[in-house]
Amino acid sequence: MAEHVAEHAAYPVGLRLSGRRVVVLGAGQVAQRRLPSLVAAGAEVLLISPSATPSVEAMADTGEIRWEHRRYQAGDLAEAWYALISTDDPAANAAASQEAEDRRVWCVRADDAEAATAWTPATGHSEGVTVAVLTGRDPRRSAGVRDAIVEGLRDGTLAAPHHRSRAKGVALVGGGPGDPDLITVRGRRLLAEADVVIADRLGPRDLLAELPPHVEVIDAAKIPYGRFMPQEAINNALIEHAKAGKAVVRLKGGDPFVFGRGMEEAQALAEAGISCTVVPGISSTISVPGAAGIPVTHRGVAHEFTVVSGHVAPDDERSLVDWPALAKLRGTLVVLMGVENSGAIAAKLIEHGRPAETPAAVVQEGTTAAQRRVDATLATLGETVRAEGVRPPAVIVVGDVVGITAPSPE
């Protein structure tokens, strides 16, 4: 039977395993990789193995699978629909494989693909599409082809038009801190499917160049607002295009809900009866310091970090930040939109008890090719920002974590 299988191409098929028994023999690395997909398919998984990796144990502890702590015995494949054999005992593998053959149970063997009646394809998923690739005896090639197809589907470079109507509405997409590679997979896919993109200045601009010619790209800063406030005009533009039946993406820098006014837009859309999808983005609050080699927390140094907006000066009556309370904290302080008020912020923190010698750093245009880091202390922060000509967008980090450095590789 094994020789016959090897002579012919495998016949691809999708198994619907929900509620059906799948027997897995062995609980090592192979099982650890395969079990999550079996659980996700709704299979009733019976694991038979005297020991297991910690990850597999955790799946048994949470009840996702049933684990019998023993070795394979004849009859274990009774009532199974599918079997995965991956023990380190060749004799047991051969015996189980023969039982599968006798019972007409499709069987995958990790130790001997030629003796198996089924092969596991390299699989991937993208928005409701499952990609499965078989290349016979070359699993690395299968994985490579799989990755290329899935990546193409995700970023829109592989054309896969929907033959059902797309859901219209607005997606509020966090574009990340600036590097176009740091947008989420879902955000990139929605961009590729958009009819209209309304973009912020701080969004990842390089992604706009990748959009198909038919996509209308609107600079949010250039939307005429007349008698409306700028944000109201943006809200109206989102509503207008969505009501025209367009798939609209509101591309924002960072995360839509971290000083991004995303909730204001979501509320306006809800009031207009328009569906809204929120796609979180990588916030500059942690990614920009990280890109500059600054961890916002570190064992034994900082057990918390606080993020505040510095666009309003500390003594301004409009400020909602409790600066005296912040000055008493010992952890890391991350300030966004604080370049102009950096001196006043530093002075207020020192006034209320934060040591003047506390390390500080400003990271301008983080994660982009123009990134630069300027170091100072709290006492010299304002003057350093002026002397170095630091300009927005920039992230200010205050705390002992600024002084932590990774050792250089030898």
Side-chain angles (χ1 to χ4, degrees):
M1 179 67 178
E3 182 179 352
H4 177 73
V5 171
E7 290 176 351
H8 297 84
Y11 181 80
V13 66
L15 298 181
R16 301 178 64 191
L17 296 174
S18 179
R20 296 183 169 93
R21 173 168 294 190
V22 172
V23 176
V24 178
L25 305 179
Q29 293 299 318
V30 173
Q32 181 174 310
R33 293 197 306 270
R34 303 302 181 202
L35 281 169
S37 295
L38 292 171
V39 171
E44 177 191 299
V45 178
L46 170 61
L47 173 68
I48 299 174
S49 179
S51 60
T53 67
S55 294
V56 173
E57 281 191 28
M59 296 182 72
D61 290 342
T62 57
E64 293 180 289
I65 62 175
R66 182 162 65 90
W67 179 20
E68 294 190 6
H69 300 238
R70 59 177 177 80
R71 295 185 179 277
Y72 163 75
Q73 299 172 357
D76 280 340
L77 301 190
E79 300 183 12
W81 291 72
Y82 181 70
L84 170 61
I85 300 174
S86 62
T87 81
D88 57 4
D89 183 346
N93 292 345
S97 181
Q98 186 58 53
E99 180 181 348
E101 183 79 22
D102 295 341
R103 293 183 182 275
R104 297 186 179 182
V105 175
W106 293 109
C107 168
V108 173
R109 282 188 61 172
D111 65 329
D112 189 353
E114 295 299 328
T117 54
W119 291 336
T120 301
T123 59
H125 306 275
S126 176
E127 191 60 19
V129 176
T130 297
V131 176
V133 179
L134 283 170
T135 56
R137 302 176 183 84
D138 193 346
R140 290 188 179 182
R141 186 183 180 205
S142 296
V145 174
R146 181 266 324 270
D147 292 343
I149 295 173
V150 171
E151 179 64 22
L153 290 172
R154 288 174 173 174
D155 65 20
T157 57
L158 182 62
H162 292 265
H163 292 285
R164 54 179 172 78
S165 59
R166 289 181 299 168
K168 304 299 190 237
V170 176
L172 304 181
V173 175
D179 183 339
D181 285 344
L182 294 180
I183 190 173
T184 63
V185 169
R186 189 178 189 192
R188 193 159 195 155
R189 179 185 57 76
L190 287 172
L191 269 179
E193 296 180 354
D195 299 311
V196 178
V197 176
I198 299 179
D200 273 347
R201 178 179 64 88
L202 296 181
R205 294 170 297 176
D206 291 351
L207 291 174
L208 302 178
E210 300 177 2
L211 297 175
H214 72 274
V215 178
E216 182 180 0
V217 178
I218 301 172
D219 183 344
K222 296 181 179 179
I223 293 177
Y225 49 92
R227 64 187 179 89
F228 297 103
M229 295 292 287
Q231 186 60 54
E232 291 177 284
I234 293 172
N235 295 349
N236 291 340
L238 293 171
I239 292 168
E240 175 187 345
H241 288 288
K243 283 188 172 180
K246 304 292 183 63
V248 183
V249 167
R250 175 73 169 104
L251 182 61
K252 309 169 79 68
D255 181 274
F257 287 175
V258 180
F259 305 133
R261 308 188 77 167
M263 181 53 74
E264 295 178 44
E265 294 169 353
Q267 290 172 333
L269 292 167
E271 290 172 2
I274 295 170
S275 63
C276 175
T277 299
V278 177
V279 181
I282 298 175
S283 174
S284 61
T285 58
I286 54 175
S287 58
V288 167
I294 302 172
V296 292
T297 64
H298 188 71
R299 184 163 55 117
V301 177
H303 288 176
E304 85 276 350
F305 69 97
T306 306
V307 180
V308 298
S309 170
H311 74 289
V312 176
D315 290 331
D316 192 308
E317 63 181 11
R318 297 170 298 168
S319 176
L320 301 177
V321 177
D322 189 341
W323 292 103
L326 286 180
K328 295 177 174 59
L329 297 178
R330 299 173 59 187
T332 306
L333 177 63
V334 179
V335 183
L336 302 187
M337 301 177 287
V339 169
E340 182 178 347
N341 295 315
S342 57
I345 290 171
K348 181 63 68 173
L349 292 171
I350 293 172
E351 176 188 345
H352 289 280
R354 194 78 187 238
E357 65 275 13
T358 302
V362 186
V363 185
Q364 178 181 311
E365 298 184 70
T367 76
T368 73
Q371 173 180 306
R372 68 167 176 146
R373 168 179 170 174
V374 176
D375 285 65
T377 64
L378 202 54
T380 64
L381 179 61
E383 179 56 36
T384 300
V385 165
R386 286 190 295 273
E388 294 289 338
V390 177
R391 64 182 187 278
V395 175
I396 299 172
V397 186
V398 177
D400 291 337
V401 292
V402 172
I404 298 173
T405 59
S408 300
E410 297 181 357

